[in-house]
């Protein structure tokens, strides 16, 4: 749907004008004068370098009005306000913001995937100095929620170099970097040879780690293949099959808890998380760590049925992409969308060693925006 902007006299007033956005399907929205005024980007309103405002919008008159407006050029809107301020706007920038098109996640819709995803989105780490290759990698990541990087040097610690390339590394009680290999007295089941069903990491943490990186240094043990599942695709399927159960998982806060000798982390999350628009933004699933509240039995019936259905879909071959990480491969995935797991391995028959770290979720979007800015 494409938006257009129009100017017309305000209803019931001779000295005011309305600036109206039409959605092309008969819908229209009148732009509030304060909304427009606080987007003024003239040098007296906005610091050119930081793009931060040089005035206090809450102090604007609440009865501010638009007294004149014209479009001297198709992309240029000139506006006079009732407090004497005059400003000028790029129409395309206003409409992009109104349409929610400003930003990589808004611009590039998630592409839901299942086991048929082929090829697996991947990029050559050595080529990412090239801005075009980097932009392509970021677009693949945003569309699928993950990407596999190849040819990452197997020097221990490199995962942190890759992490800082894409965002801020988030240190946790496991350290900035964690080694994933089987060890005695493991403080997490990840550090055993057990199979790990698809899960999201650390739902007990606030904030939940945004993006996880797992870098393979050695994979000589039998087993230990990696699995990924698109949580958004599974959630969409669950909603289709069992709307009542889906709604229950989207509104029931569940307690997640992690505890060891020095740490006790507790956070409440709905297993399916929506944003203020009602769109899915996250899935939290770690079946060894979730504790539903004591609801009336009929409600818990719905909850447990839905949890089982979700778990069955998440572990079904229909949705699971399975591959083997080779030394030098690094999987980078959105821990709020893509669930990860592994098959069991026998650490006595060979070495399996991954190094991991978390980075904040906004890093790739930031990088992508800056890349696009330098292009235009
Ligand atoms: C983890 C994890 C998967 C693997 O460390 O969080 O899930 O392949 N590891 O060992
Ligand atoms: Zn994990």
């Amino acid at each position: 749907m494409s938006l257009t902007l129009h100017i017309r006299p305000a209803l019931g007033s001779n000295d005011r004008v309305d600036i109206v956005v039409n959605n092309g399907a008969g819908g229209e929205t009148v732009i509030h004068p304060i909304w427009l005024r606080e987007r003024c980007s003239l040098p007296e309103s906005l610091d050119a370098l930081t793009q931060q405002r040089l005035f206090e919008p809450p102090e604007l008159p609440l009865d501010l009005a638009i007294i004149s407006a014209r479009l001297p050029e198709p992309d240029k809107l000139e506006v006079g306000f009732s407090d004497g301020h005059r400003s000028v706007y790029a129409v395309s920038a206003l409409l992009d913001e109104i349409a929610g098109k400003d930003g990589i996640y808004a611009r590039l819709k998630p592409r839901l995937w299942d086991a048929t995803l082929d090829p697996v989105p991947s990029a050559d780490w050595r080529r990412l100095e090239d801005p075009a290759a980097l932009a392509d990698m970021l677009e693949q990541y945003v569309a699928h929620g993950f990407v596999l990087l190849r040819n990452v040097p197997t020097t221990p610690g490199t995962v942190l170099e890759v992490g800082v390339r894409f965002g801020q590394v988030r240190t946790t009680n496991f350290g900035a970097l964690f080694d994933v290999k089987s060890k005695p007295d493991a403080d997490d089941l990840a550090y055993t040879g057990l199979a790990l069903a698809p899960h999201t990491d650390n739902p007990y943490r606030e904030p939940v780690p945004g993006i996880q990186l797992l870098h393979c240094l050695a994979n000589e043990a039998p087993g230990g293949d990696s699995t990924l599942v698109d949580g958004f695709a599974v959630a969409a399927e669950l909603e289709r099959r069992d709307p009542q159960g889906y709604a229950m998982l989207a509104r029931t806060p569940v307690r997640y808890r992690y505890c060891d000798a020095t740490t006790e982390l507790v956070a409440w999350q709905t297993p399916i998380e929506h944003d203020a628009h009602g769109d899915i933004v996250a899935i939290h699933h770690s079946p060894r760590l979730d504790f539903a509240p004591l609801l009336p039995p009929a409600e818990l019936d719905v909850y447990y049925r839905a949890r089982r259905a979700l778990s069955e879909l998440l572990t079904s071959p229909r949705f699971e992409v399975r591959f083997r990480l080779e030394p030098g491969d690094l999987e980078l995935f959105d821990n709020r969308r893509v669930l990860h797991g592994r098959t069991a391995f026998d650490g006595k028959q060979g070495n399996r060693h991954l190094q991991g770290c978390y980075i904040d979720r906004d890093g790739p979007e930031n990088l992508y925006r800056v890349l696009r800015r330098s292009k235009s």
Side-chain angles (χ1 to χ4, degrees):
M1 206 176 318
S2 108
L3 302 180
T4 51
L5 190 139
H6 306 272
I7 298 165
R8 68 180 182 211
L11 264 178
S13 165
N14 294 330
D15 52 4
R16 297 177 174 206
V17 293
D18 280 343
I19 299 173
V20 186
V21 178
N22 281 69
N23 69 6
E28 63 170 44
T29 309
V30 175
I31 295 185
H32 194 290
I34 296 180
W35 188 96
L36 194 58
R37 176 76 164 74
E38 64 189 13
R39 280 162 179 72
C40 177
S41 61
L42 296 182
E44 71 253 39
S45 299
L46 205 63
D47 181 66
L49 196 61
T50 64
Q51 299 281 299
Q52 291 172 19
R53 290 189 187 117
L54 298 168
F55 67 106
E56 296 289 335
E59 292 171 6
L60 290 171
L62 292 176
D63 60 355
L64 189 75
I66 295 169
I67 55 172
S68 68
R70 57 186 211 105
L71 290 160
E73 295 165 25
D75 197 28
K76 191 169 176 186
L77 171 68
E78 286 178 0
V79 180
F81 292 92
S82 55
D83 63 350
H85 186 79
R86 302 189 64 81
S87 193
V88 55
Y89 300 87
V91 173
S92 52
L94 294 175
L95 295 182
D96 271 1
E97 181 184 348
I98 294 165
K101 281 197 202 146
D102 55 341
I104 185 171
Y105 286 98
R107 189 178 298 273
L108 307 172
K109 275 202 167 333
R111 220 172 303 149
L112 303 188
W113 48 269
D114 60 16
T116 61
L117 179 68
D118 187 32
V120 166
S122 65
D124 186 335
W125 168 247
R126 296 171 309 187
R127 285 198 55 228
L128 296 185
E129 289 306 317
D130 170 16
L134 181 59
D136 178 64
M137 179 245 136
L138 292 169
E139 286 177 9
Q140 291 199 61
Y141 164 74
V142 170
H144 299 101
F146 81 100
V147 66
L148 208 60
L149 298 180
R150 314 263 194 207
N151 297 315
V152 179
T154 52
T155 319
T158 305
V159 70
L160 289 176
E161 270 174 53
V162 179
V164 296
R165 183 82 175 83
F166 295 110
Q168 300 294 329
V169 171
R170 171 74 59 165
T171 301
T172 70
N173 53 302
F174 299 114
L177 175 156
F178 44 88
D179 286 283
V180 185
K181 54 180 171 187
S182 59
K183 57 184 180 192
D185 299 326
D187 56 1
D188 193 289
L189 289 181
Y191 309 145
T192 68
L194 292 175
L196 297 176
H199 62 282
T200 59
D201 265 18
N202 297 197
Y204 47 77
R205 192 180 301 285
E206 185 57 56
V208 166
I211 297 171
Q212 182 170 179
L213 288 78
L214 283 174
H215 178 208
C216 177
L217 301 182
N219 202 359
E220 291 141 18
D225 289 352
S226 299
T227 60
L228 293 176
V229 175
D230 184 355
F232 288 3
V234 164
E237 176 66 12
L238 178 68
E239 188 174 22
R240 205 178 57 74
R241 287 189 188 185
D242 180 5
Q244 189 196 16
Y246 177 94
M248 190 72 177
L249 294 183
R251 72 162 182 270
T252 306
V254 170
R255 186 167 171 267
Y256 296 89
R257 177 167 179 266
Y258 173 88
C259 196
D260 71 8
T262 55
T263 312
E264 183 161 347
L265 293 164
V266 176
W268 293 79
Q269 320 275 2
T270 55
I272 292 170
E273 187 183 331
H274 288 166
D275 65 12
H277 303 287
D279 295 328
I280 185 165
V281 282
I283 186 152
H284 305 285
H285 186 74
S286 192
R288 299 176 202 253
L289 299 168
D290 61 330
F291 300 92
L294 184 62
L295 300 172
E299 284 183 46
L300 279 183
D301 279 349
V302 177
Y303 175 84
Y304 288 127
R305 187 187 72 210
R307 185 181 66 169
R308 170 180 296 216
L310 178 69
S311 182
E312 280 172 359
L313 289 169
L314 287 170
T315 50
S316 121
R318 180 180 153 198
F319 286 100
E320 179 192 275
V321 166
R322 188 177 287 206
F323 51 90
R324 188 168 183 82
L325 288 175
E326 300 296 343
D329 291 346
L330 183 154
E331 52 175 345
L332 179 150
F333 50 89
D334 180 351
N335 187 50
R336 296 167 60 89
R337 168 177 171 188
V338 172
L339 294 91
H340 64 288
R342 66 156 185 246
T343 61
F345 65 94
D346 182 354
K348 287 194 212 74
Q349 289 195 53
N351 187 23
R352 181 182 191 271
H353 185 189
L354 310 185
Q355 286 191 320
C357 73
Y358 303 117
I359 62 173
D360 288 344
R361 191 164 176 272
D362 56 5
E365 175 165 1
N366 168 51
L367 200 56
Y368 186 78
R369 281 209 183 101
V370 173
L371 266 182
R372 285 186 59 244
R373 192 166 66 191
S374 53
K375 234 174 74 180
S376 59

PDB file of all heavy atoms in Angstrom, residues 1 20 31 65 87 94 108 112 139 147 151 160 197 208 285 300:
ATOM      1  N   MET A   1       0.859  -1.189   0.000  1.00  0.00           N
ATOM      2  CA  MET A   1       0.000   0.000   0.000  1.00  0.00           C
ATOM      3  C   MET A   1       0.901   1.247   0.000  1.00  0.00           C
ATOM      4  O   MET A   1       1.830   1.337   0.776  1.00  0.00           O
ATOM      5  CB  MET A   1      -0.861  -0.011   1.262  1.00  0.00           C
ATOM      6  CG  MET A   1      -2.123   0.757   1.043  1.00  0.00           C
ATOM      7  SD  MET A   1      -3.239   0.674   2.451  1.00  0.00           S
ATOM      8  CE  MET A   1      -3.185  -1.018   2.989  1.00  0.00           C
ATOM      9  N   VAL A  20      -2.715  15.666   5.555  1.00  0.00           N
ATOM     10  CA  VAL A  20      -3.410  14.383   5.633  1.00  0.00           C
ATOM     11  C   VAL A  20      -2.609  13.312   4.905  1.00  0.00           C
ATOM     12  O   VAL A  20      -2.076  13.565   3.820  1.00  0.00           O
ATOM     13  CB  VAL A  20      -4.803  14.505   4.955  1.00  0.00           C
ATOM     14  CG1 VAL A  20      -5.605  13.229   5.142  1.00  0.00           C
ATOM     15  CG2 VAL A  20      -5.560  15.700   5.510  1.00  0.00           C
ATOM     16  N   ILE A  31      -2.250  14.482  10.293  1.00  0.00           N
ATOM     17  CA  ILE A  31      -1.011  14.558  11.075  1.00  0.00           C
ATOM     18  C   ILE A  31      -1.172  15.586  12.197  1.00  0.00           C
ATOM     19  O   ILE A  31      -1.546  16.734  11.947  1.00  0.00           O
ATOM     20  CB  ILE A  31       0.184  14.923  10.176  1.00  0.00           C
ATOM     21  CG1 ILE A  31       0.421  13.785   9.168  1.00  0.00           C
ATOM     22  CG2 ILE A  31       1.437  15.169  11.014  1.00  0.00           C
ATOM     23  CD1 ILE A  31       1.654  13.987   8.299  1.00  0.00           C
ATOM     24  N   ALA A  65      -1.019  24.677  16.265  1.00  0.00           N
ATOM     25  CA  ALA A  65      -1.776  24.399  15.030  1.00  0.00           C
ATOM     26  C   ALA A  65      -0.881  24.646  13.825  1.00  0.00           C
ATOM     27  O   ALA A  65       0.150  25.329  13.926  1.00  0.00           O
ATOM     28  CB  ALA A  65      -3.008  25.298  14.977  1.00  0.00           C
ATOM     29  N   SER A  87       8.981  25.419   9.247  1.00  0.00           N
ATOM     30  CA  SER A  87       9.893  24.308   9.009  1.00  0.00           C
ATOM     31  C   SER A  87       9.685  23.723   7.621  1.00  0.00           C
ATOM     32  O   SER A  87       8.736  24.078   6.914  1.00  0.00           O
ATOM     33  CB  SER A  87       9.712  23.220  10.077  1.00  0.00           C
ATOM     34  OG  SER A  87      10.777  22.314  10.000  1.00  0.00           O
ATOM     35  N   LEU A  94       8.905  11.369   5.934  1.00  0.00           N
ATOM     36  CA  LEU A  94       7.715  11.290   6.797  1.00  0.00           C
ATOM     37  C   LEU A  94       6.893  10.049   6.465  1.00  0.00           C
ATOM     38  O   LEU A  94       6.467   9.308   7.360  1.00  0.00           O
ATOM     39  CB  LEU A  94       6.834  12.545   6.608  1.00  0.00           C
ATOM     40  CG  LEU A  94       7.424  13.878   7.070  1.00  0.00           C
ATOM     41  CD1 LEU A  94       6.482  15.022   6.703  1.00  0.00           C
ATOM     42  CD2 LEU A  94       7.682  13.860   8.576  1.00  0.00           C
ATOM     43  N   LEU A 108      12.975  -5.493   5.626  1.00  0.00           N
ATOM     44  CA  LEU A 108      13.160  -6.865   5.155  1.00  0.00           C
ATOM     45  C   LEU A 108      12.292  -7.780   5.997  1.00  0.00           C
ATOM     46  O   LEU A 108      12.590  -8.039   7.150  1.00  0.00           O
ATOM     47  CB  LEU A 108      14.630  -7.272   5.288  1.00  0.00           C
ATOM     48  CG  LEU A 108      15.639  -6.322   4.652  1.00  0.00           C
ATOM     49  CD1 LEU A 108      17.037  -6.726   5.021  1.00  0.00           C
ATOM     50  CD2 LEU A 108      15.470  -6.285   3.151  1.00  0.00           C
ATOM     51  N   LEU A 112       9.960 -16.973   6.571  1.00  0.00           N
ATOM     52  CA  LEU A 112       9.838 -18.170   7.413  1.00  0.00           C
ATOM     53  C   LEU A 112      10.381 -19.370   6.651  1.00  0.00           C
ATOM     54  O   LEU A 112      10.221 -19.470   5.442  1.00  0.00           O
ATOM     55  CB  LEU A 112       8.376 -18.394   7.811  1.00  0.00           C
ATOM     56  CG  LEU A 112       7.709 -17.229   8.548  1.00  0.00           C
ATOM     57  CD1 LEU A 112       6.322 -17.641   9.055  1.00  0.00           C
ATOM     58  CD2 LEU A 112       8.560 -16.738   9.713  1.00  0.00           C
ATOM     59  N   GLU A 139      21.413  -9.048   5.196  1.00  0.00           N
ATOM     60  CA  GLU A 139      20.053  -9.251   4.694  1.00  0.00           C
ATOM     61  C   GLU A 139      19.629 -10.716   4.855  1.00  0.00           C
ATOM     62  O   GLU A 139      18.494 -11.011   5.220  1.00  0.00           O
ATOM     63  CB  GLU A 139      19.954  -8.796   3.235  1.00  0.00           C
ATOM     64  CG  GLU A 139      19.965  -7.286   3.146  1.00  0.00           C
ATOM     65  CD  GLU A 139      19.944  -6.739   1.723  1.00  0.00           C
ATOM     66  OE1 GLU A 139      19.753  -7.531   0.777  1.00  0.00           O
ATOM     67  OE2 GLU A 139      20.117  -5.517   1.573  1.00  0.00           O
ATOM     68  N   VAL A 147      22.667 -17.067  10.081  1.00  0.00           N
ATOM     69  CA  VAL A 147      23.557 -17.205   8.933  1.00  0.00           C
ATOM     70  C   VAL A 147      24.773 -18.005   9.403  1.00  0.00           C
ATOM     71  O   VAL A 147      25.141 -17.970  10.579  1.00  0.00           O
ATOM     72  CB  VAL A 147      23.944 -15.812   8.369  1.00  0.00           C
ATOM     73  CG1 VAL A 147      24.788 -15.020   9.338  1.00  0.00           C
ATOM     74  CG2 VAL A 147      24.623 -15.900   7.030  1.00  0.00           C
ATOM     75  N   ASN A 151      35.005 -20.182   6.977  1.00  0.00           N
ATOM     76  CA  ASN A 151      36.399 -19.699   6.926  1.00  0.00           C
ATOM     77  C   ASN A 151      36.732 -18.702   8.025  1.00  0.00           C
ATOM     78  O   ASN A 151      37.463 -17.742   7.799  1.00  0.00           O
ATOM     79  CB  ASN A 151      36.707 -19.086   5.547  1.00  0.00           C
ATOM     80  CG  ASN A 151      36.599 -20.115   4.442  1.00  0.00           C
ATOM     81  OD1 ASN A 151      37.106 -21.225   4.586  1.00  0.00           O
ATOM     82  ND2 ASN A 151      35.916 -19.774   3.364  1.00  0.00           N
ATOM     83  N   LEU A 160      34.982 -13.898  19.606  1.00  0.00           N
ATOM     84  CA  LEU A 160      34.773 -12.535  20.136  1.00  0.00           C
ATOM     85  C   LEU A 160      35.073 -11.477  19.072  1.00  0.00           C
ATOM     86  O   LEU A 160      34.412 -10.444  19.007  1.00  0.00           O
ATOM     87  CB  LEU A 160      35.639 -12.299  21.380  1.00  0.00           C
ATOM     88  CG  LEU A 160      35.216 -13.051  22.636  1.00  0.00           C
ATOM     89  CD1 LEU A 160      36.212 -12.811  23.761  1.00  0.00           C
ATOM     90  CD2 LEU A 160      33.814 -12.630  23.059  1.00  0.00           C
ATOM     91  N   ALA A 197      17.736 -30.677  22.743  1.00  0.00           N
ATOM     92  CA  ALA A 197      16.571 -30.410  21.891  1.00  0.00           C
ATOM     93  C   ALA A 197      16.553 -28.914  21.580  1.00  0.00           C
ATOM     94  O   ALA A 197      17.170 -28.116  22.299  1.00  0.00           O
ATOM     95  CB  ALA A 197      15.308 -30.822  22.633  1.00  0.00           C
ATOM     96  N   VAL A 208      17.186 -11.224  27.790  1.00  0.00           N
ATOM     97  CA  VAL A 208      17.559 -12.499  27.177  1.00  0.00           C
ATOM     98  C   VAL A 208      18.645 -12.203  26.127  1.00  0.00           C
ATOM     99  O   VAL A 208      18.549 -11.199  25.423  1.00  0.00           O
ATOM    100  CB  VAL A 208      16.306 -13.104  26.496  1.00  0.00           C
ATOM    101  CG1 VAL A 208      16.669 -14.226  25.558  1.00  0.00           C
ATOM    102  CG2 VAL A 208      15.308 -13.570  27.543  1.00  0.00           C
ATOM    103  N   HIS A 285      12.000 -20.801  24.857  1.00  0.00           N
ATOM    104  CA  HIS A 285      11.704 -22.234  24.995  1.00  0.00           C
ATOM    105  C   HIS A 285      12.934 -22.959  25.516  1.00  0.00           C
ATOM    106  O   HIS A 285      13.941 -23.089  24.814  1.00  0.00           O
ATOM    107  CB  HIS A 285      11.301 -22.793  23.631  1.00  0.00           C
ATOM    108  CG  HIS A 285      10.842 -24.218  23.701  1.00  0.00           C
ATOM    109  ND1 HIS A 285       9.622 -24.583  24.225  1.00  0.00           N
ATOM    110  CD2 HIS A 285      11.446 -25.370  23.320  1.00  0.00           C
ATOM    111  CE1 HIS A 285       9.493 -25.900  24.161  1.00  0.00           C
ATOM    112  NE2 HIS A 285      10.589 -26.397  23.615  1.00  0.00           N
ATOM    113  N   LEU A 300      -4.624 -24.621  32.829  1.00  0.00           N
ATOM    114  CA  LEU A 300      -3.355 -25.339  32.675  1.00  0.00           C
ATOM    115  C   LEU A 300      -3.484 -26.491  31.681  1.00  0.00           C
ATOM    116  O   LEU A 300      -2.513 -26.831  30.999  1.00  0.00           O
ATOM    117  CB  LEU A 300      -2.844 -25.834  34.031  1.00  0.00           C
ATOM    118  CG  LEU A 300      -2.121 -24.763  34.870  1.00  0.00           C
ATOM    119  CD1 LEU A 300      -1.593 -25.362  36.172  1.00  0.00           C
ATOM    120  CD2 LEU A 300      -0.969 -24.094  34.113  1.00  0.00           C
TER     121      LEU A 300
END
